[in-house]
Amino acid sequence: MIIDKIIDFISQCPFLDEMAPIKADYCNEDAISYCVETSAKAKEIETYVDGSQVLQLSFAFSSKEVMSDYDDVNVENAVFYEKFSDWVEEQNNMRNLPKLEGKLSSISVKTVSHGYVVQSEADRGRYQIQMVLKYLKKV
């Protein structure tokens, strides 16, 4: 499945907390936790004469983080997402992409938003960054 390969790819990021696994479509209530949330369907970008297709899958990488009324904690969360975005761009430029299987192969992976707060509570917040995986599906 594609989501497993996206999770494998993101797990390589050196800025993640090693003790917090990345879940599919579920973020724990505990800070720190991570998840990848996929969209309903991959969008077709192009179809070749042989029937092969270039598809684009939108997804979000989310995390539950500690928040505080002290700016340094919240700034640290924002810096994490800046570093994460830079890491994704670097991996894309080096062609270190999610390793898809079978007739699927990755073309690119990118962040398409900054990391931002989706939900906040007294001492925790849920952050996310929007991403896109473009891939080839051969016939």
PDB file of all heavy atoms in Angstrom, residues 59-78:
ATOM      1  N   PHE A  59      -1.871  14.331   0.971  1.00  0.00           N
ATOM      2  CA  PHE A  59      -1.972  13.808   2.328  1.00  0.00           C
ATOM      3  C   PHE A  59      -1.433  14.847   3.298  1.00  0.00           C
ATOM      4  O   PHE A  59      -0.818  15.832   2.895  1.00  0.00           O
ATOM      5  CB  PHE A  59      -1.236  12.467   2.477  1.00  0.00           C
ATOM      6  CG  PHE A  59       0.244  12.534   2.242  1.00  0.00           C
ATOM      7  CD1 PHE A  59       1.124  12.647   3.312  1.00  0.00           C
ATOM      8  CD2 PHE A  59       0.768  12.465   0.961  1.00  0.00           C
ATOM      9  CE1 PHE A  59       2.492  12.694   3.097  1.00  0.00           C
ATOM     10  CE2 PHE A  59       2.133  12.513   0.730  1.00  0.00           C
ATOM     11  CZ  PHE A  59       2.995  12.630   1.814  1.00  0.00           C
ATOM     12  N   ALA A  60      -1.697  14.622   4.566  1.00  0.00           N
ATOM     13  CA  ALA A  60      -1.187  15.514   5.614  1.00  0.00           C
ATOM     14  C   ALA A  60      -0.329  14.705   6.571  1.00  0.00           C
ATOM     15  O   ALA A  60      -0.674  13.575   6.923  1.00  0.00           O
ATOM     16  CB  ALA A  60      -2.336  16.166   6.365  1.00  0.00           C
ATOM     17  N   PHE A  61       0.784  15.275   6.967  1.00  0.00           N
ATOM     18  CA  PHE A  61       1.575  14.731   8.063  1.00  0.00           C
ATOM     19  C   PHE A  61       1.202  15.563   9.283  1.00  0.00           C
ATOM     20  O   PHE A  61       1.278  16.792   9.261  1.00  0.00           O
ATOM     21  CB  PHE A  61       3.072  14.832   7.770  1.00  0.00           C
ATOM     22  CG  PHE A  61       3.925  14.465   8.947  1.00  0.00           C
ATOM     23  CD1 PHE A  61       3.951  13.166   9.415  1.00  0.00           C
ATOM     24  CD2 PHE A  61       4.681  15.425   9.595  1.00  0.00           C
ATOM     25  CE1 PHE A  61       4.720  12.820  10.517  1.00  0.00           C
ATOM     26  CE2 PHE A  61       5.460  15.092  10.690  1.00  0.00           C
ATOM     27  CZ  PHE A  61       5.484  13.797  11.151  1.00  0.00           C
ATOM     28  N   SER A  62       0.739  14.899  10.336  1.00  0.00           N
ATOM     29  CA  SER A  62       0.259  15.592  11.531  1.00  0.00           C
ATOM     30  C   SER A  62       1.022  15.122  12.758  1.00  0.00           C
ATOM     31  O   SER A  62       1.550  14.012  12.789  1.00  0.00           O
ATOM     32  CB  SER A  62      -1.226  15.303  11.757  1.00  0.00           C
ATOM     33  OG  SER A  62      -1.988  15.697  10.660  1.00  0.00           O
ATOM     34  N   SER A  63       1.019  15.980  13.761  1.00  0.00           N
ATOM     35  CA  SER A  63       1.617  15.591  15.036  1.00  0.00           C
ATOM     36  C   SER A  63       0.862  16.240  16.181  1.00  0.00           C
ATOM     37  O   SER A  63       0.254  17.298  16.030  1.00  0.00           O
ATOM     38  CB  SER A  63       3.096  16.001  15.094  1.00  0.00           C
ATOM     39  OG  SER A  63       3.229  17.410  15.084  1.00  0.00           O
ATOM     40  N   LYS A  64       0.892  15.576  17.300  1.00  0.00           N
ATOM     41  CA  LYS A  64       0.370  16.131  18.547  1.00  0.00           C
ATOM     42  C   LYS A  64       1.614  16.570  19.313  1.00  0.00           C
ATOM     43  O   LYS A  64       2.525  15.783  19.537  1.00  0.00           O
ATOM     44  CB  LYS A  64      -0.407  15.071  19.311  1.00  0.00           C
ATOM     45  CG  LYS A  64      -1.091  15.568  20.536  1.00  0.00           C
ATOM     46  CD  LYS A  64      -2.312  16.394  20.245  1.00  0.00           C
ATOM     47  CE  LYS A  64      -3.506  15.527  20.057  1.00  0.00           C
ATOM     48  NZ  LYS A  64      -4.779  16.175  20.221  1.00  0.00           N
ATOM     49  N   GLU A  65       1.657  17.837  19.705  1.00  0.00           N
ATOM     50  CA  GLU A  65       2.831  18.421  20.351  1.00  0.00           C
ATOM     51  C   GLU A  65       2.439  19.096  21.654  1.00  0.00           C
ATOM     52  O   GLU A  65       1.292  19.519  21.827  1.00  0.00           O
ATOM     53  CB  GLU A  65       3.474  19.479  19.437  1.00  0.00           C
ATOM     54  CG  GLU A  65       3.850  19.003  18.049  1.00  0.00           C
ATOM     55  CD  GLU A  65       5.111  18.181  17.988  1.00  0.00           C
ATOM     56  OE1 GLU A  65       5.859  18.134  18.988  1.00  0.00           O
ATOM     57  OE2 GLU A  65       5.351  17.572  16.936  1.00  0.00           O
ATOM     58  N   VAL A  66       3.408  19.231  22.536  1.00  0.00           N
ATOM     59  CA  VAL A  66       3.218  20.005  23.750  1.00  0.00           C
ATOM     60  C   VAL A  66       3.142  21.475  23.352  1.00  0.00           C
ATOM     61  O   VAL A  66       3.928  21.937  22.528  1.00  0.00           O
ATOM     62  CB  VAL A  66       4.387  19.778  24.733  1.00  0.00           C
ATOM     63  CG1 VAL A  66       4.291  20.706  25.936  1.00  0.00           C
ATOM     64  CG2 VAL A  66       4.441  18.324  25.173  1.00  0.00           C
ATOM     65  N   MET A  67       2.171  22.195  23.914  1.00  0.00           N
ATOM     66  CA  MET A  67       2.063  23.643  23.701  1.00  0.00           C
ATOM     67  C   MET A  67       2.140  24.332  25.059  1.00  0.00           C
ATOM     68  O   MET A  67       1.889  23.705  26.087  1.00  0.00           O
ATOM     69  CB  MET A  67       0.744  24.003  23.024  1.00  0.00           C
ATOM     70  CG  MET A  67       0.648  23.558  21.601  1.00  0.00           C
ATOM     71  SD  MET A  67      -0.895  24.103  20.845  1.00  0.00           S
ATOM     72  CE  MET A  67      -0.426  25.739  20.293  1.00  0.00           C
ATOM     73  N   SER A  68       2.463  25.593  25.018  1.00  0.00           N
ATOM     74  CA  SER A  68       2.615  26.332  26.267  1.00  0.00           C
ATOM     75  C   SER A  68       2.285  27.799  26.041  1.00  0.00           C
ATOM     76  O   SER A  68       2.271  28.274  24.912  1.00  0.00           O
ATOM     77  CB  SER A  68       4.063  26.180  26.738  1.00  0.00           C
ATOM     78  OG  SER A  68       4.335  27.033  27.819  1.00  0.00           O
ATOM     79  N   ASP A  69       2.062  28.508  27.137  1.00  0.00           N
ATOM     80  CA  ASP A  69       1.903  29.947  27.008  1.00  0.00           C
ATOM     81  C   ASP A  69       3.271  30.639  26.944  1.00  0.00           C
ATOM     82  O   ASP A  69       3.354  31.846  26.820  1.00  0.00           O
ATOM     83  CB  ASP A  69       1.039  30.524  28.130  1.00  0.00           C
ATOM     84  CG  ASP A  69       1.584  30.228  29.512  1.00  0.00           C
ATOM     85  OD1 ASP A  69       2.514  29.433  29.641  1.00  0.00           O
ATOM     86  OD2 ASP A  69       1.045  30.814  30.481  1.00  0.00           O
ATOM     87  N   TYR A  70       4.338  29.841  27.006  1.00  0.00           N
ATOM     88  CA  TYR A  70       5.696  30.352  26.785  1.00  0.00           C
ATOM     89  C   TYR A  70       6.027  30.197  25.309  1.00  0.00           C
ATOM     90  O   TYR A  70       5.933  29.090  24.751  1.00  0.00           O
ATOM     91  CB  TYR A  70       6.723  29.583  27.626  1.00  0.00           C
ATOM     92  CG  TYR A  70       6.493  29.746  29.111  1.00  0.00           C
ATOM     93  CD1 TYR A  70       5.955  28.703  29.844  1.00  0.00           C
ATOM     94  CD2 TYR A  70       6.798  30.936  29.746  1.00  0.00           C
ATOM     95  CE1 TYR A  70       5.730  28.849  31.211  1.00  0.00           C
ATOM     96  CE2 TYR A  70       6.574  31.090  31.112  1.00  0.00           C
ATOM     97  CZ  TYR A  70       6.041  30.036  31.835  1.00  0.00           C
ATOM     98  OH  TYR A  70       5.808  30.183  33.172  1.00  0.00           O
ATOM     99  N   ASP A  71       6.406  31.262  24.690  1.00  0.00           N
ATOM    100  CA  ASP A  71       6.651  31.245  23.247  1.00  0.00           C
ATOM    101  C   ASP A  71       7.729  30.266  22.818  1.00  0.00           C
ATOM    102  O   ASP A  71       7.657  29.713  21.727  1.00  0.00           O
ATOM    103  CB  ASP A  71       7.033  32.648  22.747  1.00  0.00           C
ATOM    104  CG  ASP A  71       5.830  33.521  22.535  1.00  0.00           C
ATOM    105  OD1 ASP A  71       4.707  32.980  22.443  1.00  0.00           O
ATOM    106  OD2 ASP A  71       6.002  34.753  22.453  1.00  0.00           O
ATOM    107  N   ASP A  72       8.741  30.028  23.653  1.00  0.00           N
ATOM    108  CA  ASP A  72       9.841  29.170  23.220  1.00  0.00           C
ATOM    109  C   ASP A  72       9.379  27.762  22.865  1.00  0.00           C
ATOM    110  O   ASP A  72       9.867  27.158  21.917  1.00  0.00           O
ATOM    111  CB  ASP A  72      10.971  29.137  24.250  1.00  0.00           C
ATOM    112  CG  ASP A  72      10.525  28.659  25.625  1.00  0.00           C
ATOM    113  OD1 ASP A  72       9.321  28.728  25.928  1.00  0.00           O
ATOM    114  OD2 ASP A  72      11.406  28.217  26.391  1.00  0.00           O
ATOM    115  N   VAL A  73       8.408  27.223  23.572  1.00  0.00           N
ATOM    116  CA  VAL A  73       7.891  25.879  23.280  1.00  0.00           C
ATOM    117  C   VAL A  73       7.158  25.884  21.936  1.00  0.00           C
ATOM    118  O   VAL A  73       7.376  25.021  21.091  1.00  0.00           O
ATOM    119  CB  VAL A  73       6.943  25.383  24.402  1.00  0.00           C
ATOM    120  CG1 VAL A  73       6.278  24.077  24.009  1.00  0.00           C
ATOM    121  CG2 VAL A  73       7.713  25.225  25.698  1.00  0.00           C
ATOM    122  N   ASN A  74       6.320  26.855  21.727  1.00  0.00           N
ATOM    123  CA  ASN A  74       5.550  26.935  20.485  1.00  0.00           C
ATOM    124  C   ASN A  74       6.437  27.268  19.289  1.00  0.00           C
ATOM    125  O   ASN A  74       6.219  26.744  18.189  1.00  0.00           O
ATOM    126  CB  ASN A  74       4.416  27.948  20.632  1.00  0.00           C
ATOM    127  CG  ASN A  74       3.495  27.582  21.785  1.00  0.00           C
ATOM    128  OD1 ASN A  74       3.382  26.417  22.147  1.00  0.00           O
ATOM    129  ND2 ASN A  74       2.868  28.567  22.366  1.00  0.00           N
ATOM    130  N   VAL A  75       7.441  28.096  19.498  1.00  0.00           N
ATOM    131  CA  VAL A  75       8.398  28.400  18.431  1.00  0.00           C
ATOM    132  C   VAL A  75       9.165  27.136  18.057  1.00  0.00           C
ATOM    133  O   VAL A  75       9.413  26.866  16.882  1.00  0.00           O
ATOM    134  CB  VAL A  75       9.356  29.546  18.837  1.00  0.00           C
ATOM    135  CG1 VAL A  75      10.525  29.656  17.881  1.00  0.00           C
ATOM    136  CG2 VAL A  75       8.594  30.868  18.915  1.00  0.00           C
ATOM    137  N   GLU A  76       9.510  26.337  19.054  1.00  0.00           N
ATOM    138  CA  GLU A  76      10.210  25.069  18.795  1.00  0.00           C
ATOM    139  C   GLU A  76       9.363  24.159  17.896  1.00  0.00           C
ATOM    140  O   GLU A  76       9.889  23.499  16.999  1.00  0.00           O
ATOM    141  CB  GLU A  76      10.520  24.377  20.122  1.00  0.00           C
ATOM    142  CG  GLU A  76      11.364  23.134  19.984  1.00  0.00           C
ATOM    143  CD  GLU A  76      11.683  22.533  21.344  1.00  0.00           C
ATOM    144  OE1 GLU A  76      12.069  23.286  22.257  1.00  0.00           O
ATOM    145  OE2 GLU A  76      11.542  21.300  21.471  1.00  0.00           O
ATOM    146  N   ASN A  77       8.052  24.133  18.111  1.00  0.00           N
ATOM    147  CA  ASN A  77       7.161  23.339  17.254  1.00  0.00           C
ATOM    148  C   ASN A  77       7.176  23.862  15.822  1.00  0.00           C
ATOM    149  O   ASN A  77       7.230  23.082  14.865  1.00  0.00           O
ATOM    150  CB  ASN A  77       5.736  23.355  17.806  1.00  0.00           C
ATOM    151  CG  ASN A  77       5.622  22.625  19.129  1.00  0.00           C
ATOM    152  OD1 ASN A  77       6.420  21.756  19.454  1.00  0.00           O
ATOM    153  ND2 ASN A  77       4.622  22.999  19.907  1.00  0.00           N
ATOM    154  N   ALA A  78       7.132  25.180  15.666  1.00  0.00           N
ATOM    155  CA  ALA A  78       7.164  25.775  14.328  1.00  0.00           C
ATOM    156  C   ALA A  78       8.498  25.486  13.639  1.00  0.00           C
ATOM    157  O   ALA A  78       8.530  25.170  12.445  1.00  0.00           O
ATOM    158  CB  ALA A  78       6.926  27.279  14.407  1.00  0.00           C
TER     159      ALA A  78
END
